[in-house]
Amino acid sequence: MTTGPLALCCLPLLLLSALSLTLSQGYLTVSIDPLPHVVIGDTVTLKCNFQTDGNLREIVWFRVSTQVTEGGNAKQKIFTYDAMYNTSYSHLEDNKKREDLVYRSTVRLPEVQMEDDGLYECHVGIYDRSSRDKVILASGSIILTVIVPPKSISVVAADSPAPFSRYEAQNFSLVCIVTGAKPAPVVYFKRDGELIDVVPPSQSPSSTGEQNKKPGKSRGRSRAGLLSSQIHVSRDLDDTKLHKSPSPSEKQGKPARLGQDGPEPGREQAPQPGPEQTTEVIPETVVSWEFPRWVQSSDPLYYFQHRQQAVGDGTMEVRAMLTWSLNPQLDNEALFSCEVNHPALSMPMQAEVTLAAPRGPKLSMTPDRATVGDTVRITVQGFQLGPSASEVFPEPMFTWTRVGGLLLDGSETHDGRELVLDRVPAELNGSMFRCTAENPLGSTDTHTRLIVFENPRLKKGKERFVAIDAAVIQRSLTLTSMLLLLSFTFELT
Protein backbone atom coordinates (compact mmCIF):
# COMPACT_ATOMS: atom_id res chain seq x y z
CA MET A 1 0.00 0.00 0.00
CA THR A 2 1.39 3.41 -0.99
CA THR A 3 1.60 6.05 1.72
CA GLY A 4 3.01 9.49 1.98
CA PRO A 5 2.52 12.76 0.14
CA LEU A 6 1.92 10.97 -3.15
CA ALA A 7 -1.11 9.08 -1.81
CA LEU A 8 -2.58 12.20 -0.24
CA CYS A 9 -2.31 14.16 -3.42
CA CYS A 10 -4.05 11.41 -5.39
CA LEU A 11 -7.07 11.17 -3.04
CA PRO A 12 -8.98 14.12 -4.55
CA LEU A 13 -8.46 12.62 -7.98
CA LEU A 14 -10.09 9.34 -6.84
CA LEU A 15 -13.07 11.14 -5.31
CA LEU A 16 -13.54 13.22 -8.43
CA SER A 17 -13.39 10.08 -10.59
CA ALA A 18 -16.09 8.37 -8.44
CA LEU A 19 -18.29 11.49 -8.56
CA SER A 20 -17.99 11.73 -12.32
CA LEU A 21 -18.89 8.04 -12.61
CA THR A 22 -22.01 8.63 -10.50
CA LEU A 23 -22.99 11.64 -12.54
CA SER A 24 -22.45 9.68 -15.73
CA GLN A 25 -24.92 7.06 -14.51
CA GLY A 26 -27.59 9.66 -13.74
CA TYR A 27 -30.10 9.59 -10.90
CA LEU A 28 -33.80 8.70 -10.61
CA THR A 29 -36.26 9.12 -7.72
CA VAL A 30 -39.89 8.00 -7.87
CA SER A 31 -42.76 8.79 -5.48
CA ILE A 32 -46.55 8.54 -5.54
CA ASP A 33 -48.88 11.10 -4.00
CA PRO A 34 -50.67 9.70 -0.92
CA LEU A 35 -54.39 9.00 -1.13
CA PRO A 36 -57.13 9.10 1.51
CA HIS A 37 -59.73 6.35 1.76
CA VAL A 38 -61.82 6.21 -1.40
CA VAL A 39 -65.56 5.59 -1.31
CA ILE A 40 -66.86 3.00 -3.72
CA GLY A 41 -68.14 4.63 -6.91
CA ASP A 42 -65.79 7.63 -6.73
CA THR A 43 -63.22 8.54 -9.38
CA VAL A 44 -59.55 8.25 -8.33
CA THR A 45 -56.41 9.67 -9.94
CA LEU A 46 -53.08 8.03 -9.10
CA LYS A 47 -50.11 10.41 -9.50
CA CYS A 48 -46.55 9.16 -9.95
CA ASN A 49 -43.83 11.82 -9.59
CA PHE A 50 -40.19 11.25 -10.65
CA GLN A 51 -37.05 13.32 -10.90
CA THR A 52 -34.05 12.49 -13.11
CA ASP A 53 -31.25 14.09 -15.05
CA GLY A 54 -31.32 11.31 -17.62
CA ASN A 55 -33.44 10.51 -20.60
CA LEU A 56 -36.77 8.81 -19.97
CA ARG A 57 -37.11 5.29 -21.32
CA GLU A 58 -40.53 4.06 -20.12
CA ILE A 59 -43.24 4.30 -17.48
CA VAL A 60 -45.26 1.23 -16.50
CA TRP A 61 -48.16 1.02 -14.02
CA PHE A 62 -49.03 -2.28 -12.34
CA ARG A 63 -51.93 -3.44 -10.20
CA VAL A 64 -50.75 -6.13 -7.78
CA SER A 65 -53.33 -8.85 -7.36
CA THR A 66 -54.16 -10.11 -3.89
CA GLN A 67 -54.23 -13.69 -5.19
CA VAL A 68 -50.95 -15.42 -4.46
CA THR A 69 -49.48 -17.59 -7.25
CA GLU A 70 -46.43 -19.85 -7.32
CA GLY A 71 -44.16 -16.96 -8.22
CA GLY A 72 -45.73 -14.57 -5.69
CA ASN A 73 -48.42 -11.98 -6.19
CA ALA A 74 -49.54 -11.63 -9.81
CA LYS A 75 -49.03 -8.19 -11.38
CA GLN A 76 -51.45 -6.82 -13.92
CA LYS A 77 -50.03 -4.18 -16.30
CA ILE A 78 -52.57 -1.36 -16.58
CA PHE A 79 -50.62 1.42 -18.37
CA THR A 80 -47.41 1.72 -20.45
CA TYR A 81 -45.51 4.71 -21.89
CA ASP A 82 -42.63 3.96 -24.30
CA ALA A 83 -40.32 6.96 -24.93
CA MET A 84 -38.44 5.22 -27.77
CA TYR A 85 -41.52 5.26 -29.98
CA ASN A 86 -43.11 8.20 -28.16
CA THR A 87 -46.30 6.19 -27.73
CA SER A 88 -48.51 5.31 -24.82
CA TYR A 89 -50.87 2.39 -24.51
CA SER A 90 -53.47 1.68 -21.82
CA HIS A 91 -54.18 -1.88 -20.82
CA LEU A 92 -57.45 -0.79 -19.19
CA GLU A 93 -60.73 -0.27 -20.93
CA ASP A 94 -61.02 2.42 -23.60
CA ASN A 95 -62.81 4.72 -21.20
CA LYS A 96 -59.83 4.52 -18.83
CA LYS A 97 -57.11 5.90 -21.19
CA ARG A 98 -54.85 8.29 -19.33
CA GLU A 99 -52.60 11.20 -20.24
CA ASP A 100 -48.90 11.25 -19.41
CA LEU A 101 -46.48 14.02 -18.50
CA VAL A 102 -42.70 14.23 -18.58
CA TYR A 103 -42.21 14.40 -14.79
CA ARG A 104 -45.57 13.06 -13.69
CA SER A 105 -47.60 10.11 -14.83
CA THR A 106 -51.27 9.91 -13.86
CA VAL A 107 -53.69 7.01 -14.00
CA ARG A 108 -57.39 7.75 -13.60
CA LEU A 109 -59.72 5.06 -12.27
CA PRO A 110 -63.39 5.99 -12.78
CA GLU A 111 -66.07 4.58 -10.45
CA VAL A 112 -63.82 2.38 -8.37
CA GLN A 113 -65.28 -0.90 -7.15
CA MET A 114 -64.30 -3.44 -4.53
CA GLU A 115 -62.02 -5.29 -6.98
CA ASP A 116 -59.98 -2.07 -7.48
CA ASP A 117 -58.86 -2.25 -3.86
CA GLY A 118 -55.18 -3.17 -3.49
CA LEU A 119 -51.55 -2.26 -4.20
CA TYR A 120 -50.50 -0.14 -7.22
CA GLU A 121 -46.91 0.28 -8.45
CA CYS A 122 -45.33 2.88 -10.75
CA HIS A 123 -42.11 1.73 -12.50
CA VAL A 124 -39.93 4.32 -14.25
CA GLY A 125 -36.86 3.58 -16.43
CA ILE A 126 -34.17 6.01 -17.74
CA TYR A 127 -31.16 5.52 -20.00
CA ASP A 128 -27.76 5.21 -18.34
CA ARG A 129 -25.49 8.11 -19.39
CA SER A 130 -22.50 5.86 -19.68
CA SER A 131 -24.21 3.46 -22.06
CA ARG A 132 -27.31 3.73 -24.19
CA ASP A 133 -27.88 0.01 -23.78
CA LYS A 134 -28.28 0.21 -19.99
CA VAL A 135 -31.49 1.30 -18.25
CA ILE A 136 -31.81 2.50 -14.66
CA LEU A 137 -35.10 1.48 -12.97
CA ALA A 138 -36.91 2.83 -9.91
CA SER A 139 -40.44 2.35 -8.60
CA GLY A 140 -42.95 3.57 -6.07
CA SER A 141 -46.09 1.97 -4.66
CA ILE A 142 -49.30 2.94 -2.96
CA ILE A 143 -52.22 1.03 -1.45
CA LEU A 144 -55.66 2.02 -2.68
CA THR A 145 -58.26 1.39 0.03
CA VAL A 146 -61.87 1.33 -1.18
CA ILE A 147 -64.40 1.77 1.62
CA VAL A 148 -68.08 0.87 1.41
CA PRO A 149 -70.88 2.49 3.45
CA PRO A 150 -73.35 0.21 5.24
CA LYS A 151 -76.09 -1.17 3.02
CA SER A 152 -78.69 -1.84 5.72
CA ILE A 153 -79.31 -1.30 9.41
CA SER A 154 -82.08 -2.80 11.53
CA VAL A 155 -83.00 -3.23 15.18
CA VAL A 156 -84.64 -6.44 16.37
CA ALA A 157 -85.46 -7.96 19.73
CA ALA A 158 -83.41 -10.97 20.72
CA ASP A 159 -85.40 -14.21 21.10
CA SER A 160 -88.66 -12.72 19.87
CA PRO A 161 -91.39 -13.74 20.25
CA ALA A 162 -90.55 -15.33 23.60
CA PRO A 163 -92.45 -16.09 26.82
CA PHE A 164 -91.87 -13.96 29.89
CA SER A 165 -92.75 -13.88 33.56
CA ARG A 166 -95.18 -11.30 34.88
CA TYR A 167 -93.93 -11.62 38.43
CA GLU A 168 -90.16 -11.10 38.24
CA ALA A 169 -87.74 -8.84 36.41
CA GLN A 170 -86.14 -10.22 33.30
CA ASN A 171 -83.31 -9.23 31.00
CA PHE A 172 -84.24 -7.79 27.63
CA SER A 173 -81.94 -7.39 24.62
CA LEU A 174 -82.02 -5.26 21.50
CA VAL A 175 -79.83 -6.34 18.58
CA CYS A 176 -78.62 -3.85 15.97
CA ILE A 177 -77.61 -5.54 12.68
CA VAL A 178 -75.46 -3.60 10.21
CA THR A 179 -74.51 -5.22 6.89
CA GLY A 180 -72.50 -4.39 3.79
CA ALA A 181 -69.89 -2.06 5.35
CA LYS A 182 -66.11 -1.93 4.79
CA PRO A 183 -64.42 -1.43 7.18
CA ALA A 184 -66.57 -2.33 10.19
CA PRO A 185 -68.57 0.69 11.44
CA VAL A 186 -68.87 2.10 14.95
CA VAL A 187 -72.27 1.22 16.48
CA TYR A 188 -73.89 2.81 19.53
CA PHE A 189 -77.37 3.07 21.07
CA LYS A 190 -79.52 6.01 22.14
CA ARG A 191 -82.64 6.24 24.25
CA ASP A 192 -85.09 9.06 23.54
CA GLY A 193 -82.34 10.83 21.61
CA GLU A 194 -79.70 10.64 24.37
CA LEU A 195 -76.58 8.53 24.17
CA ILE A 196 -76.67 5.48 26.46
CA ASP A 197 -73.62 4.91 28.63
CA VAL A 198 -72.96 1.20 28.66
CA VAL A 199 -71.06 -1.24 30.82
CA PRO A 200 -67.94 -2.65 29.09
CA PRO A 201 -68.40 -6.03 27.38
CA SER A 202 -66.09 -7.73 29.90
CA GLN A 203 -68.69 -7.16 32.62
CA SER A 204 -71.56 -9.09 31.10
CA PRO A 205 -74.64 -9.68 33.28
CA SER A 206 -74.89 -13.14 34.79
CA SER A 207 -78.27 -12.64 36.39
CA THR A 208 -80.84 -10.00 37.13
CA GLY A 209 -80.11 -10.20 40.83
CA GLU A 210 -76.49 -9.31 40.16
CA GLN A 211 -77.61 -6.09 38.52
CA ASN A 212 -79.82 -5.14 41.44
CA LYS A 213 -76.90 -5.55 43.85
CA LYS A 214 -75.11 -2.60 42.23
CA PRO A 215 -77.49 0.32 42.77
CA GLY A 216 -74.69 2.64 43.83
CA LYS A 217 -72.52 2.05 40.81
CA SER A 218 -72.81 5.11 38.56
CA ARG A 219 -70.60 3.85 35.73
CA GLY A 220 -72.55 2.51 32.79
CA ARG A 221 -75.88 4.15 33.67
CA SER A 222 -78.01 5.78 31.04
CA ARG A 223 -79.14 9.36 31.40
CA ALA A 224 -82.60 8.10 30.58
CA GLY A 225 -82.37 5.60 33.42
CA LEU A 226 -81.68 8.37 35.93
CA LEU A 227 -85.19 9.70 35.36
CA SER A 228 -86.80 6.57 36.77
CA SER A 229 -87.33 7.96 40.27
CA GLN A 230 -89.30 10.86 38.84
CA ILE A 231 -91.52 8.75 36.60
CA HIS A 232 -92.40 5.97 39.03
CA VAL A 233 -95.28 7.80 40.65
CA SER A 234 -96.94 9.19 37.54
CA ARG A 235 -96.95 5.91 35.63
CA ASP A 236 -98.49 3.57 38.16
CA LEU A 237 -100.37 0.42 37.31
CA ASP A 238 -103.86 1.87 37.76
CA ASP A 239 -103.76 4.44 34.98
CA THR A 240 -102.73 1.83 32.41
CA LYS A 241 -105.98 -0.15 32.56
CA LEU A 242 -109.10 0.44 30.56
CA HIS A 243 -112.19 1.22 32.58
CA LYS A 244 -114.87 -1.43 32.23
CA SER A 245 -117.95 -2.69 34.02
CA PRO A 246 -117.48 -5.45 36.59
CA SER A 247 -118.03 -9.02 35.45
CA PRO A 248 -120.73 -11.24 36.99
CA SER A 249 -118.05 -13.08 38.93
CA GLU A 250 -116.96 -9.80 40.55
CA LYS A 251 -120.55 -8.90 41.43
CA GLN A 252 -120.79 -12.16 43.34
CA GLY A 253 -117.85 -11.17 45.51
CA LYS A 254 -115.24 -13.28 43.72
CA PRO A 255 -111.67 -11.87 43.52
CA ALA A 256 -110.85 -9.91 40.39
CA ARG A 257 -108.77 -11.57 37.68
CA LEU A 258 -105.29 -10.36 36.80
CA GLY A 259 -105.63 -7.48 34.38
CA GLN A 260 -109.12 -6.44 35.48
CA ASP A 261 -110.12 -4.02 38.27
CA GLY A 262 -107.85 -4.82 41.18
CA PRO A 263 -108.29 -4.30 44.95
CA GLU A 264 -108.86 -0.92 46.49
CA PRO A 265 -105.85 1.39 46.80
CA GLY A 266 -103.85 0.80 49.93
CA ARG A 267 -104.61 -2.91 50.13
CA GLU A 268 -101.95 -5.34 49.11
CA GLN A 269 -102.84 -8.53 47.39
CA ALA A 270 -100.34 -11.25 46.56
CA PRO A 271 -100.35 -12.19 42.88
CA GLN A 272 -101.65 -15.65 42.14
CA PRO A 273 -100.35 -16.99 38.84
CA GLY A 274 -102.31 -20.23 39.12
CA PRO A 275 -104.36 -21.75 36.29
CA GLU A 276 -107.57 -19.97 35.29
CA GLN A 277 -110.99 -21.52 35.84
CA THR A 278 -112.54 -22.78 32.63
CA THR A 279 -116.08 -22.24 33.91
CA GLU A 280 -115.79 -18.47 34.31
CA VAL A 281 -118.54 -16.30 32.89
CA ILE A 282 -117.16 -13.56 30.61
CA PRO A 283 -119.29 -10.86 29.04
CA GLU A 284 -118.78 -10.04 25.39
CA THR A 285 -116.46 -7.31 24.02
CA VAL A 286 -114.20 -7.34 27.09
CA VAL A 287 -110.65 -6.08 26.48
CA SER A 288 -108.25 -6.11 29.43
CA TRP A 289 -104.68 -4.80 29.43
CA GLU A 290 -102.01 -5.07 32.09
CA PHE A 291 -98.40 -4.43 32.89
CA PRO A 292 -96.39 -7.10 34.69
CA ARG A 293 -96.93 -6.77 38.44
CA TRP A 294 -93.45 -5.74 39.56
CA VAL A 295 -91.48 -2.52 39.74
CA GLN A 296 -87.74 -2.11 39.20
CA SER A 297 -86.10 -1.00 42.44
CA SER A 298 -82.96 0.60 40.95
CA ASP A 299 -81.79 2.35 37.83
CA PRO A 300 -80.94 -0.04 34.98
CA LEU A 301 -77.44 -0.96 33.91
CA TYR A 302 -77.01 -1.28 30.16
CA TYR A 303 -74.63 -3.97 28.96
CA PHE A 304 -73.15 -3.80 25.48
CA GLN A 305 -71.76 -6.60 23.31
CA HIS A 306 -70.23 -6.19 19.88
CA ARG A 307 -69.45 -8.87 17.28
CA GLN A 308 -68.36 -8.61 13.67
CA GLN A 309 -67.61 -11.10 10.93
CA ALA A 310 -66.41 -10.92 7.34
CA VAL A 311 -68.79 -11.71 4.49
CA GLY A 312 -67.85 -13.34 1.20
CA ASP A 313 -67.95 -10.06 -0.78
CA GLY A 314 -65.28 -8.47 1.42
CA THR A 315 -67.65 -6.43 3.60
CA MET A 316 -68.38 -6.82 7.31
CA GLU A 317 -71.53 -7.69 9.22
CA VAL A 318 -71.76 -6.17 12.69
CA ARG A 319 -74.15 -7.23 15.46
CA ALA A 320 -74.34 -5.01 18.52
CA MET A 321 -76.47 -6.11 21.50
CA LEU A 322 -77.84 -3.89 24.27
CA THR A 323 -79.06 -5.78 27.37
CA TRP A 324 -80.74 -4.44 30.49
CA SER A 325 -83.32 -5.38 33.11
CA LEU A 326 -86.62 -4.35 31.56
CA ASN A 327 -89.00 -2.11 33.49
CA PRO A 328 -92.36 -2.06 31.67
CA GLN A 329 -93.65 0.92 33.64
CA LEU A 330 -90.74 3.03 32.36
CA ASP A 331 -89.75 1.34 29.11
CA ASN A 332 -93.19 1.18 27.54
CA GLU A 333 -93.31 3.65 24.62
CA ALA A 334 -89.59 4.45 25.05
CA LEU A 335 -87.75 5.21 21.81
CA PHE A 336 -84.51 3.28 21.28
CA SER A 337 -82.29 3.99 18.29
CA CYS A 338 -79.17 2.39 16.88
CA GLU A 339 -76.76 4.73 15.13
CA VAL A 340 -73.75 3.96 12.95
CA ASN A 341 -70.66 6.07 12.23
CA HIS A 342 -68.60 5.20 9.17
CA PRO A 343 -65.92 7.12 7.21
CA ALA A 344 -67.98 6.69 4.02
CA LEU A 345 -71.01 8.43 5.59
CA SER A 346 -71.39 12.19 5.84
CA MET A 347 -73.84 11.74 8.72
CA PRO A 348 -74.76 8.81 11.02
CA MET A 349 -77.03 6.09 9.72
CA GLN A 350 -79.92 5.28 12.06
CA ALA A 351 -82.65 2.74 12.78
CA GLU A 352 -85.13 3.13 15.62
CA VAL A 353 -87.91 1.24 17.38
CA THR A 354 -90.45 2.15 20.03
CA LEU A 355 -91.09 -0.43 22.74
CA ALA A 356 -94.82 -0.96 23.03
CA ALA A 357 -97.08 -3.40 24.86
CA PRO A 358 -99.97 -4.99 22.92
CA ARG A 359 -103.21 -3.13 23.56
CA GLY A 360 -106.68 -3.33 22.09
CA PRO A 361 -106.38 -6.16 19.54
CA LYS A 362 -108.61 -5.86 16.48
CA LEU A 363 -110.17 -9.23 15.58
CA SER A 364 -111.88 -10.19 12.37
CA MET A 365 -114.00 -13.29 11.73
CA THR A 366 -114.68 -14.80 8.33
CA PRO A 367 -117.26 -15.54 7.16
CA ASP A 368 -119.30 -12.79 8.80
CA ARG A 369 -122.30 -15.12 9.11
CA ALA A 370 -121.07 -18.61 9.92
CA THR A 371 -123.31 -21.60 9.23
CA VAL A 372 -123.00 -25.23 10.23
CA GLY A 373 -120.21 -26.91 8.26
CA ASP A 374 -118.32 -23.70 7.37
CA THR A 375 -114.61 -23.11 8.04
CA VAL A 376 -114.31 -20.13 10.38
CA ARG A 377 -111.15 -18.03 10.69
CA ILE A 378 -110.58 -15.64 13.59
CA THR A 379 -107.57 -13.38 12.92
CA VAL A 380 -105.78 -10.60 14.79
CA GLN A 381 -105.70 -7.68 12.33
CA GLY A 382 -103.83 -5.17 14.48
CA PHE A 383 -103.74 -3.20 17.72
CA GLN A 384 -104.68 0.17 19.09
CA LEU A 385 -101.34 1.98 19.19
CA GLY A 386 -100.22 4.98 21.16
CA PRO A 387 -99.17 8.28 19.57
CA SER A 388 -95.46 7.38 19.53
CA ALA A 389 -95.66 3.72 18.49
CA SER A 390 -96.13 2.52 14.92
CA GLU A 391 -96.25 -1.19 15.77
CA VAL A 392 -96.22 -3.53 18.75
CA PHE A 393 -92.55 -4.18 19.51
CA PRO A 394 -91.24 -6.70 20.33
CA GLU A 395 -93.48 -9.09 18.41
CA PRO A 396 -96.14 -10.52 20.74
CA MET A 397 -97.11 -14.12 21.29
CA PHE A 398 -100.73 -15.09 20.55
CA THR A 399 -102.58 -17.81 22.48
CA TRP A 400 -106.16 -18.91 21.76
CA THR A 401 -108.43 -20.71 24.23
CA ARG A 402 -112.11 -21.58 24.42
CA VAL A 403 -113.82 -20.43 27.59
CA GLY A 404 -115.39 -23.37 29.39
CA GLY A 405 -114.16 -26.10 27.05
CA LEU A 406 -111.65 -27.40 24.58
CA LEU A 407 -111.00 -26.17 21.09
CA LEU A 408 -112.55 -27.91 18.10
CA ASP A 409 -109.49 -30.13 17.58
CA GLY A 410 -109.56 -31.25 21.22
CA SER A 411 -106.57 -29.14 22.35
CA GLU A 412 -106.62 -26.66 25.21
CA THR A 413 -104.68 -23.88 23.47
CA HIS A 414 -103.59 -22.79 20.00
CA ASP A 415 -100.60 -20.55 19.21
CA GLY A 416 -100.51 -18.12 16.32
CA ARG A 417 -102.12 -14.96 14.99
CA GLU A 418 -105.02 -16.93 13.45
CA LEU A 419 -107.44 -19.55 14.81
CA VAL A 420 -109.02 -21.83 12.19
CA LEU A 421 -112.18 -23.85 13.00
CA ASP A 422 -112.86 -26.46 10.32
CA ARG A 423 -116.46 -27.56 9.66
CA VAL A 424 -117.95 -25.93 12.73
CA PRO A 425 -120.80 -27.97 14.26
CA ALA A 426 -123.97 -26.52 15.69
CA GLU A 427 -122.67 -27.35 19.20
CA LEU A 428 -120.17 -24.43 18.98
CA ASN A 429 -122.97 -21.89 18.71
CA GLY A 430 -122.51 -19.28 21.44
CA SER A 431 -118.98 -20.38 22.34
CA MET A 432 -116.62 -17.69 23.65
CA PHE A 433 -113.01 -17.64 22.38
CA ARG A 434 -110.21 -15.76 24.12
CA CYS A 435 -107.14 -14.36 22.34
CA THR A 436 -104.22 -13.45 24.63
CA ALA A 437 -101.44 -11.30 23.15
CA GLU A 438 -98.37 -10.74 25.31
CA ASN A 439 -94.83 -9.46 25.08
CA PRO A 440 -92.30 -8.52 27.80
CA LEU A 441 -93.96 -5.11 28.20
CA GLY A 442 -97.50 -6.33 28.92
CA SER A 443 -100.42 -8.46 27.80
CA THR A 444 -103.99 -8.05 26.61
CA ASP A 445 -107.02 -10.35 26.41
CA THR A 446 -109.82 -10.09 23.86
CA HIS A 447 -112.92 -12.26 23.74
CA THR A 448 -115.25 -12.90 20.84
CA ARG A 449 -118.40 -15.00 20.61
CA LEU A 450 -119.10 -17.41 17.76
CA ILE A 451 -122.67 -17.52 16.45
CA VAL A 452 -123.43 -20.51 14.23
CA PHE A 453 -126.57 -20.46 12.08
CA GLU A 454 -128.35 -23.41 10.49
CA ASN A 455 -127.21 -24.32 7.03
CA PRO A 456 -130.16 -24.13 4.56
CA ARG A 457 -128.49 -26.60 2.23
CA LEU A 458 -128.17 -29.19 4.97
CA LYS A 459 -131.79 -28.56 6.02
CA LYS A 460 -133.09 -29.10 2.47
CA GLY A 461 -131.07 -32.29 2.28
CA LYS A 462 -132.68 -33.60 5.47
CA GLU A 463 -136.18 -32.79 4.20
CA ARG A 464 -135.41 -34.60 0.96
CA PHE A 465 -134.25 -37.70 2.87
CA VAL A 466 -137.46 -37.63 4.96
CA ALA A 467 -139.64 -37.42 1.81
CA ILE A 468 -137.76 -40.33 0.22
CA ASP A 469 -138.18 -42.46 3.35
CA ALA A 470 -141.94 -41.71 3.43
CA ALA A 471 -142.33 -42.68 -0.23
CA VAL A 472 -140.47 -45.97 0.33
CA ILE A 473 -142.65 -46.77 3.33
CA GLN A 474 -145.80 -45.97 1.33
CA ARG A 475 -144.75 -48.25 -1.53
CA SER A 476 -143.90 -51.01 0.90
CA LEU A 477 -147.35 -50.80 2.51
CA THR A 478 -149.06 -50.85 -0.91
CA LEU A 479 -147.12 -53.93 -1.99
CA THR A 480 -147.92 -55.72 1.26
CA SER A 481 -151.65 -54.98 0.85
CA MET A 482 -151.65 -56.33 -2.70
CA LEU A 483 -149.92 -59.54 -1.59
CA LEU A 484 -152.43 -60.06 1.20
CA LEU A 485 -155.33 -59.47 -1.19
CA LEU A 486 -153.97 -62.01 -3.71
CA SER A 487 -153.40 -64.55 -0.94
CA PHE A 488 -157.00 -64.13 0.32
CA THR A 489 -158.41 -64.47 -3.19
CA PHE A 490 -156.39 -67.63 -3.81
CA GLU A 491 -157.71 -69.22 -0.65
CA LEU A 492 -161.34 -68.53 -1.63
CA THR A 493 -160.91 -70.16 -4.98
Side-chain angles (χ1 to χ4, degrees):
M1 180 177 181
T2 304
T3 60
L6 181 60
L8 294 176
C9 69
C10 294
L11 181 60
L13 296 176
L14 294 175
L15 295 176
L16 181 61
S17 176
L19 180 61
S20 62
L21 180 61
T22 303
L23 292 176
S24 64
Q25 291 180 351
Y27 74 93
L28 175 63
T29 59
V30 179
S31 64
I32 300 181
D33 290 352
L35 279 177
H37 294 325
V38 179
V39 181
I40 187 172
D42 288 353
T43 297
V44 180
T45 300
L46 304 178
K47 298 178 181 180
C48 177
N49 306 308
F50 57 93
Q51 294 181 354
T52 181
D53 60 351
N55 296 322
L56 180 64
R57 171 63 182 87
E58 65 177 359
I59 304 173
V60 182
W61 280 90
F62 292 95
R63 176 193 291 142
V64 182
S65 175
T66 56
Q67 297 180 355
V68 180
T69 60
E70 295 181 358
N73 292 336
K75 292 184 178 181
Q76 177 188 3
K77 187 182 295 185
I78 62 175
F79 179 81
T80 301
Y81 171 78
D82 193 330
M84 179 179 294
Y85 301 101
N86 195 22
T87 61
S88 62
Y89 178 73
S90 174
H91 298 269
L92 298 175
E93 296 80 0
D94 293 337
N95 62 348
K96 292 188 177 181
K97 288 184 178 180
R98 308 295 168 251
E99 298 179 355
D100 60 276
L101 301 174
V102 176
Y103 293 102
R104 169 176 287 181
S105 175
T106 61
V107 172
R108 184 170 175 268
L109 306 176
E111 298 181 0
V112 293
Q113 300 300 318
M114 289 284 292
E115 54 268 18
D116 295 324
D117 189 286
L119 179 66
Y120 288 79
E121 295 180 351
C122 174
H123 293 249
V124 180
I126 63 171
Y127 289 110
D128 189 352
R129 284 186 175 185
S130 61
S131 174
R132 185 73 177 177
D133 297 332
K134 294 182 180 180
V135 177
I136 299 175
L137 299 176
S139 64
S141 63
I142 189 174
I143 295 178
L144 176 63
T145 302
V146 181
I147 61 177
V148 183
K151 294 180 181 178
S152 65
I153 177 174
S154 60
V155 180
V156 299
D159 303 326
S160 177
F164 70 98
S165 173
R166 303 179 183 178
Y167 306 100
E168 63 181 22
Q170 287 185 300
N171 287 337
F172 181 73
S173 297
L174 288 177
V175 181
C176 181
I177 305 174
V178 185
T179 61
K182 176 182 176 290
V186 178
V187 182
Y188 53 92
F189 284 91
K190 287 185 177 181
R191 171 173 175 152
D192 296 328
E194 296 187 8
L195 182 65
I196 297 178
D197 297 328
V198 296
V199 177
S202 58
Q203 304 178 13
S204 60
S206 60
S207 64
T208 305
E210 185 175 316
Q211 297 182 35
N212 295 334
K213 291 179 182 178
K214 304 176 182 179
K217 189 174 181 180
S218 59
R219 182 181 180 184
R221 292 175 182 243
S222 163
R223 298 187 185 96
L226 297 177
L227 302 176
S228 61
S229 59
Q230 304 175 6
I231 309 177
H232 263 298
V233 178
S234 62
R235 299 192 63 180
D236 199 3
L237 294 175
D238 293 338
D239 62 352
T240 62
K241 301 176 190 176
L242 298 179
H243 179 70
K244 53 188 176 297
S245 58
S247 62
S249 59
E250 294 173 346
K251 293 180 180 181
Q252 298 174 5
K254 296 181 180 180
R257 292 179 58 245
L258 191 63
Q260 298 180 355
D261 294 339
E264 297 179 1
R267 295 186 182 179
E268 297 183 357
Q269 182 179 5
Q272 312 217 346
E276 300 178 353
Q277 299 293 330
T278 58
T279 57
E280 59 185 335
V281 179
I282 298 179
E284 295 183 43
T285 66
V286 168
V287 177
S288 60
W289 180 50
E290 64 175 348
F291 277 140
R293 296 297 184 90
W294 55 268
V295 177
Q296 181 77 6
S297 59
S298 63
D299 298 331
L301 295 178
Y302 292 93
Y303 295 87
F304 182 79
Q305 294 181 358
H306 183 274
R307 181 174 59 87
Q308 63 185 42
Q309 63 179 1
V311 188
D313 60 355
T315 61
M316 305 292 293
E317 179 184 277
V318 176
R319 289 177 177 262
M321 180 184 299
L322 183 71
T323 303
W324 75 100
S325 182
L326 191 69
N327 190 338
Q329 282 73 31
L330 298 178
D331 293 330
N332 189 53
E333 297 187 0
L335 175 64
F336 283 84
S337 60
C338 169
E339 295 192 3
V340 171
N341 279 337
H342 192 271
L345 297 174
S346 58
M347 59 185 302
M349 194 174 182
Q350 176 179 293
E352 58 185 24
V353 294
T354 299
L355 304 187
R359 182 176 182 179
K362 302 175 183 178
L363 301 183
S364 67
M365 182 182 299
T366 55
D368 297 335
R369 182 184 175 90
T371 58
V372 177
D374 289 346
T375 296
V376 178
R377 299 177 182 271
I378 310 176
T379 309
V380 180
Q381 296 292 341
F383 296 90
Q384 298 175 3
L385 301 173
S388 60
S390 59
E391 62 178 351
V392 174
F393 183 88
E395 181 183 357
M397 297 181 63
F398 300 94
T399 305
W400 297 86
T401 56
R402 178 188 173 193
V403 178
L406 301 177
L407 296 176
L408 186 58
D409 59 359
S411 60
E412 295 182 356
T413 61
H414 173 75
D415 298 328
R417 182 179 287 267
E418 183 180 64
L419 176 65
V420 179
L421 305 174
D422 290 325
R423 300 178 182 178
V424 292
E427 291 75 10
L428 283 185
N429 183 33
S431 297
M432 182 79 74
F433 293 90
R434 176 195 293 118
C435 176
T436 301
E438 56 184 357
N439 70 359
L441 292 158
S443 64
T444 181
D445 289 340
T446 303
H447 300 80
T448 183
R449 188 179 296 277
L450 174 64
I451 304 300
V452 182
F453 295 89
E454 293 184 357
N455 194 330
R457 292 175 299 177
L458 296 179
K459 187 175 181 181
K460 291 181 179 179
K462 290 182 179 179
E463 293 176 352
R464 180 182 177 185
F465 291 143
V466 170
I468 293 175
D469 292 341
V472 171
I473 294 173
Q474 183 65 28
R475 292 177 183 177
S476 177
L477 291 176
T478 305
L479 181 60
T480 304
S481 301
M482 292 178 62
L483 291 175
L484 291 176
L485 181 58
L486 289 175
S487 176
F488 180 72
T489 306
F490 178 74
E491 289 180 357
L492 290 178
T493 56

